[in-house]
Amino acid sequence: MKKILLSCTTALFCLSLMAQNGVLLKLNLEKNKVYRFSFSSEQTVSQTINGNQQTTETKTNNTVSIKMVDVTADFMIAEVRFDSIVYKSNAMGKTTIVSSVSEGNIKSSEASDVISSIMNRLSKNALYIKLDFTGKVLEIVNSKMLSDVIMKDTSSITLTGPMASGVKTQIKNMVSDNALKTMVEVFTYNLPGKLVNKGENWNITLNTNSGGMSFSIITNYHLEGINGNAANITSESNIKAAQNAAPMEAGGAKITYDDLNGLSKSSIVIDVRTGLVVENKAKTHITGNLGITGPGYSMQMPMDISGESKVIALQ
């Protein structure tokens, strides 16, 4: 009898240890509670044109709010607001600032004012999205209505020449359904949606849009350990151009980017009670060649992209 009791006690002790090493990683948001985050990044893009290197440095600072308004057995519906969107770039000594805080001017002769007006509209309108419990955006419910509001009167843009074409393309890409999904998933899509033990891995494949370029990102996540309510995770992402990615167009030229590929490494802390990010620090490096073709010419442009980003939960 004592041996049986000892065996049972030992088994329960082992199960207890296993439970301490495992955690359920899925979204579990409190209804109508607002969760706020900041996203910041610094990126350097170097391009070589006819042997001359051109460098663009960009800093981004965004804040976002997420509120779960309803939940079913298969998904939750959340209200997402981009409270502020700020981009600051320096290219060839010229500094450009795009900010949703400014109302901008859709009819301005300055591209930054035009884009700021679009970002201002985005910051004033909520996205209503369906999320599964891994944090993947299944659908932006009001995508069409939101696009109509943001894109209204863009026909009155007074910019001319290649600049006008580039800005209109940039605006279209920035508020596309895929781009908005990507902007949300930065804060939500890291989870396996199941119980994970210390030392285990899971993979997430993500198709994103960045600057009009479509990328396929395959990320391997590794649960390093659990400390109280915090799950410590590391990840490594392989980045490459999406299969059959459509070329970009600028100034009458077509730009392909099939040759671009890269790697990103992250250190992530997840709140196991909610499944949301407490902190996510990442470093990314992408290299390759752009293929540029136009009337009577074709060329390869070497490109190197390096950057660091951070997501932090705000109290």
XYZ file of all heavy atoms in Angstrom, residues 37 231 233 267-271 276-281 310-313:
138
model
N -0.462 49.569 -27.069
C 0.912 49.188 -27.381
C 1.605 50.304 -28.158
O 0.957 51.098 -28.834
C 0.941 47.916 -28.247
C 0.248 46.741 -27.625
C -1.109 46.534 -27.834
C 0.943 45.848 -26.830
C -1.757 45.466 -27.268
C 0.301 44.764 -26.257
C -1.050 44.572 -26.466
N 5.889 34.429 -20.447
C 6.508 33.381 -21.257
C 7.627 34.031 -22.059
O 7.395 34.995 -22.792
C 5.482 32.749 -22.186
N 10.212 33.912 -25.008
C 10.236 33.247 -26.311
C 11.307 33.879 -27.184
O 11.512 35.100 -27.154
C 8.859 33.389 -27.003
C 7.774 32.701 -26.170
C 8.875 32.823 -28.415
C 6.370 33.095 -26.573
N 13.416 38.585 -29.586
C 13.283 38.167 -28.190
C 11.945 38.698 -27.700
O 11.714 39.910 -27.732
C 14.434 38.737 -27.357
O 14.266 38.428 -25.988
N 11.058 37.786 -27.277
C 9.659 38.145 -27.014
C 9.257 37.736 -25.600
O 9.608 36.651 -25.135
C 8.720 37.446 -28.023
C 9.203 37.679 -29.454
C 7.286 37.919 -27.853
C 8.511 36.790 -30.479
N 8.491 38.603 -24.957
C 7.857 38.260 -23.677
C 6.353 38.352 -23.875
O 5.834 39.380 -24.312
C 8.303 39.205 -22.542
C 7.606 38.820 -21.237
C 9.822 39.168 -22.373
N 5.643 37.263 -23.577
C 4.192 37.189 -23.715
C 3.544 37.085 -22.343
O 4.011 36.328 -21.481
C 3.781 35.949 -24.557
C 4.314 36.058 -25.983
C 2.264 35.762 -24.554
C 3.633 37.075 -26.849
N 2.483 37.845 -22.119
C 1.679 37.710 -20.904
C 0.773 36.483 -21.086
O -0.124 36.501 -21.929
C 0.833 38.966 -20.683
C 0.096 38.959 -19.349
O -0.208 37.861 -18.821
O -0.199 40.052 -18.834
N -1.028 38.397 -25.058
C -0.530 39.590 -25.734
C 0.937 39.847 -25.399
O 1.453 39.413 -24.367
C -1.362 40.810 -25.343
C -2.805 40.824 -25.849
C -3.567 41.982 -25.223
C -2.850 40.912 -27.375
N 1.595 40.584 -26.289
C 3.008 40.913 -26.128
C 3.214 41.889 -24.975
O 2.484 42.876 -24.850
C 3.558 41.531 -27.429
C 4.943 42.123 -27.212
C 3.605 40.489 -28.542
N 4.190 41.590 -24.132
C 4.670 42.546 -23.135
C 5.818 43.350 -23.749
O 5.883 44.569 -23.618
C 5.155 41.826 -21.863
C 5.752 42.828 -20.870
C 4.021 41.049 -21.219
N 6.690 42.620 -24.454
C 7.809 43.258 -25.145
C 8.283 42.344 -26.273
O 8.303 41.129 -26.128
C 8.962 43.536 -24.167
C 10.143 44.259 -24.790
C 11.232 44.549 -23.779
O 11.981 43.611 -23.435
O 11.337 45.711 -23.328
N 8.640 42.950 -27.381
C 9.168 42.196 -28.518
C 10.270 43.030 -29.166
O 10.013 44.087 -29.724
C 8.055 41.906 -29.537
C 8.540 41.056 -30.700
O 9.728 40.890 -30.921
N 7.600 40.504 -31.456
N 11.515 42.558 -29.069
C 12.655 43.244 -29.667
C 13.158 42.420 -30.843
O 13.379 41.218 -30.704
C 13.786 43.428 -28.647
C 13.430 44.317 -27.469
C 14.615 44.420 -26.516
C 14.317 45.322 -25.325
N 15.478 45.392 -24.401
N 10.861 47.502 -31.898
C 10.457 47.140 -30.538
C 8.956 47.371 -30.371
O 8.429 48.413 -30.761
C 11.224 47.974 -29.512
C 10.890 47.631 -28.057
C 11.517 48.625 -27.091
C 13.013 48.529 -27.079
N 13.624 49.419 -26.036
N 8.272 46.385 -29.799
C 6.876 46.516 -29.395
C 6.840 46.469 -27.875
O 7.446 45.584 -27.258
C 5.995 45.379 -29.972
C 4.578 45.479 -29.427
C 5.989 45.435 -31.495
N 6.139 47.403 -27.267
C 6.024 47.441 -25.802
C 4.559 47.641 -25.421
O 3.870 48.490 -25.994
C 6.869 48.583 -25.203
C 8.341 48.379 -25.503
C 6.641 48.691 -23.695
C 9.232 49.505 -24.983
N 4.085 46.859 -24.460
C 2.740 47.054 -23.919
C 2.737 48.293 -23.030
O 3.633 48.485 -22.211
C 2.316 45.830 -23.113
